[in-house]
Amino acid sequence: MSNKQFDVIVIGAGPGGYVAAIRAAQLGFTTACIDEWKNAKGGPAPGGTCTNVGCIPSKALLQSSEHFEHAGHHFADHGIGLSDLKIDVARMLGRKDQVVKQNNEGILYLFKKNKVSFFHGRGAFAKAGAEGYEITVGGDTLVGRHVIVATGSNPRALPGAEFDEDRILSNDGALRIPSVPKTLGLVGAGVIGLEMGSVWRRLGAEVTVLEALPAFLGAVDEQIAKEAQKAFTKQKLKIELGVRINTVTTSTDGVKVEYADAKGGARTLEVERLIVSIGRVANTTGLNAEAVGLKLDERGAIVVDDECRTNLPNVWAVGDVVRGPMLAHKAEEEGVAVAERIAGQHGHVDFNLVPWVIYTSPEIAWVGQTEQQLKAAGRAYKAGSFPFIANGRARALGDTTGMVKFVADAKTDEILGVHIVGPMASELISEAVVAMSFKASAEDIARICHAHPSLSEATKEAALAVDKRTLNF
């Protein structure tokens, strides 16, 4: 057993952890990062859920399935003829695994470049001492003056229907289905459910989504959510709202879900596989928080203040393991902010400026407040929207679904929220984040020259629409 002293020890190498470690090292601290993810050969696989079974592999499959969809349904419009179109699922999954591997190796390279000491294994608190906190990992005991916990989250299971990753799947199993199922069920119409449903629907599965909430994408601006639901329904993604799951049973052939529909009627859904995406829970198992008195809330998340400080001196926590949206980029921002706070700087994260994205087709992205939130708050606002069907670049792409929508303060014209459903929404939303970060008005965006032809012109036109003066609609 060896003893190693560090200024900063980060537990977890997901987006929050590895970025925190790199920033701490950049600021001159001796830094260690601990992570237990393993690749197929048992080697280190840093990057957390995001890189291994979340953001990165899901986007790889979404891209592959979108190519397949275009080849089967849209290439002919471009004068491209194909015959005998088929999907090699094993090769598609192999490409996805290669993309993940490249990201794992990229993080290990960044640790080496920034002189971050990496330890492969599960990190756990042992005790607090005069020199700092003792953290065990494998046969090593590390001592850190500061500790940043970034252990992420795990998928929440349906009561009585635990994940077996064969018939009942979490996001992990959903990324490893070996062949296209004829029928696929999804419990939960959130980000993961819609993205995974989109992948397998495009490849030929008949997909049914069961959602407990009465409204589709209730957190999204209502106008945008309705447009998205219309598009998904057109794609033959079956979405049932207001359901209550009663029992889930598995057999050698598939999964049977007995549920009550929105009117209380008894219904049965029989599918080959069932993906459950009903949220995630903070991952504090094995952290040995009780050894040092680290406070957890009733949900098992680490309790922190606005600056990510825990109840213990010099112990911080970021990302999915604490309050706030469970988003990779939110974790990254918190990781950077904490490293800078340790250095005596003033790291800053504004939750109202964290963008949200659902990588379906059409993509859905938003930042700031929705129209319904402003109504509920009684705030006077004005709104403007512009449809992609009136955008020249969208027409050339052959993807004119959706719109860009602005909501702005009725008196000051400050942008309060931007909501997009349509092509490349994930990229377009960044302009809105920048604008809102500098307290821009809708008029500011309306006055900025946007390249023609580009999808971003729809952003400018939506800003013009706030003042009811669009030029192309």
Side-chain angles (χ1 to χ4, degrees):
M1 181 179 284
S2 59
N3 228 311
K4 298 180 175 67
Q5 181 83 37
F6 294 93
D7 295 324
V8 178
I9 296 173
V10 183
I11 305 176
Y18 90 78
V19 167
I22 289 170
R23 186 67 185 123
Q26 287 177 345
L27 289 164
F29 297 115
T30 55
T31 306
C33 188
I34 303 166
D35 192 79
E36 67 173 340
W37 277 91
K38 295 177 183 177
N39 59 29
K41 296 180 180 178
T49 292
C50 171
T51 294
N52 292 292
V53 293
C55 321
I56 302 302
S58 65
K59 301 313 158 287
L61 292 189
L62 280 160
Q63 189 64 58
S64 297
S65 65
E66 190 158 346
H67 285 325
F68 185 75
E69 171 104 340
H70 281 295
H73 300 282
H74 304 295
F75 275 11
D77 294 338
H78 296 265
I80 303 169
L82 287 174
S83 60
D84 193 29
L85 183 68
K86 58 180 182 288
I87 182 75
D88 183 339
V89 174
R91 188 165 181 176
M92 178 183 75
L93 296 178
R95 176 186 178 274
K96 177 260 297 180
D97 292 340
Q98 185 61 26
V99 170
V100 169
K101 182 172 179 281
Q102 289 168 346
N103 279 270
N104 295 146
E105 291 172 349
I107 295 167
L108 290 171
Y109 163 76
L110 289 170
F111 282 159
K112 189 174 181 181
K113 176 187 173 185
N114 289 281
K115 297 182 173 57
V116 173
S117 299
F118 177 70
F119 294 86
H120 189 210
R122 174 169 291 215
F125 284 99
K127 64 180 181 180
E131 299 298 316
Y133 294 90
E134 289 190 9
I135 308 293
T136 58
V137 52
D140 290 309
T141 298
L142 315 182
V143 181
R145 193 164 54 86
H146 288 266
V147 177
I148 304 172
V149 181
T151 48
S153 61
N154 295 315
R156 185 192 302 276
L158 267 174
E162 298 303 312
F163 299 115
D164 59 21
E165 304 302 4
D166 176 32
R167 294 296 176 186
I168 302 177
L169 312 170
S170 69
N171 54 295
D172 186 2
L175 293 162
R176 294 187 284 107
I177 300 175
S179 60
V180 181
K182 288 182 180 177
T183 54
L184 177 69
L186 279 135
V187 178
V191 176
I192 295 168
L194 290 174
E195 290 184 1
M196 288 296 92
S198 292
V199 167
W200 297 105
R201 195 278 309 162
R202 290 173 192 160
L203 299 178
E206 183 183 301
V207 179
T208 303
V209 182
L210 304 178
E211 170 59 55
L213 295 173
F216 180 65
L217 292 177
V220 177
D221 185 87
E222 195 174 330
Q223 185 181 2
I224 298 296
K226 284 180 178 176
E227 188 74 14
Q229 186 175 6
K230 190 166 66 177
F232 296 145
T233 301
K234 189 177 179 182
Q235 295 169 10
K236 296 185 168 54
L237 197 66
K238 298 177 184 174
I239 301 168
E240 290 195 45
L241 303 171
V243 309
R244 187 183 74 252
I245 307 294
N246 293 322
T247 61
V248 178
T249 53
T250 59
S251 67
T252 53
D253 298 325
V255 186
K256 180 193 285 187
V257 183
E258 295 182 61
Y259 66 98
D261 62 21
K263 295 179 180 178
R267 302 284 297 279
T268 300
L269 174 68
E270 295 191 40
V271 290
E272 287 183 27
R273 299 179 194 271
L274 182 73
I275 299 172
V276 176
S277 57
I278 55 171
R280 299 181 65 83
V281 292
N283 176 27
T284 49
T285 305
L287 187 61
N288 201 22
E290 59 276 12
V292 288
L294 181 62
K295 187 178 179 182
L296 309 180
D297 68 15
E298 65 280 357
R299 298 173 297 110
I302 297 174
V303 177
V304 292
D305 65 12
D306 289 344
E307 295 198 328
C308 294
R309 290 183 174 87
T310 71
N311 65 304
L312 301 176
N314 296 344
V315 177
W316 314 71
V318 302
D320 285 9
V321 81
V322 302
R323 80 287 175 268
M326 288 186 171
L327 297 168
H329 43 285
K330 172 261 195 184
E332 289 180 341
E333 294 302 306
E334 286 183 329
V336 168
V338 164
E340 292 176 350
R341 287 164 189 153
I342 290 171
Q345 299 178 11
H346 299 282
H348 176 69
V349 182
D350 185 342
F351 284 177
N352 194 50
L353 296 176
V354 173
W356 293 71
V357 182
I358 305 176
Y359 295 86
T360 45
S361 183
E363 289 187 347
I364 305 163
W366 69 98
V367 63
Q369 294 174 278
T370 64
E371 194 168 351
Q372 57 263 37
Q373 284 174 325
L374 293 171
K375 282 179 182 174
R379 185 162 184 177
Y381 69 92
K382 47 189 178 177
S385 62
F386 185 82
F388 281 107
I389 199 167
N391 175 269
R393 184 70 192 279
R395 289 191 194 122
L397 287 173
D399 190 355
T400 57
T401 301
M403 69 182 78
V404 180
K405 176 178 179 177
F406 274 63
V407 285
D409 187 274
K411 292 181 180 177
T412 67
D413 197 40
E414 181 185 346
I415 302 166
L416 303 176
V418 177
H419 310 274
I420 309 172
V421 55
M424 304 304 290
S426 57
E427 303 296 335
L428 295 173
I429 200 64
S430 291
E431 180 180 7
V433 177
V434 171
M436 290 175 64
S437 295
F438 288 95
K439 304 273 184 199
S441 64
E443 180 73 9
D444 288 330
I445 300 302
R447 292 285 177 185
I448 293 171
C449 183
H450 290 64
H452 176 78
S454 68
L455 295 172
S456 68
E457 288 177 288
T459 304
K460 173 174 179 157
E461 291 275 6
L464 283 164
V466 171
D467 196 39
K468 296 182 171 51
R469 61 178 212 269
T470 55
L471 299 169
N472 286 284
F473 185 68

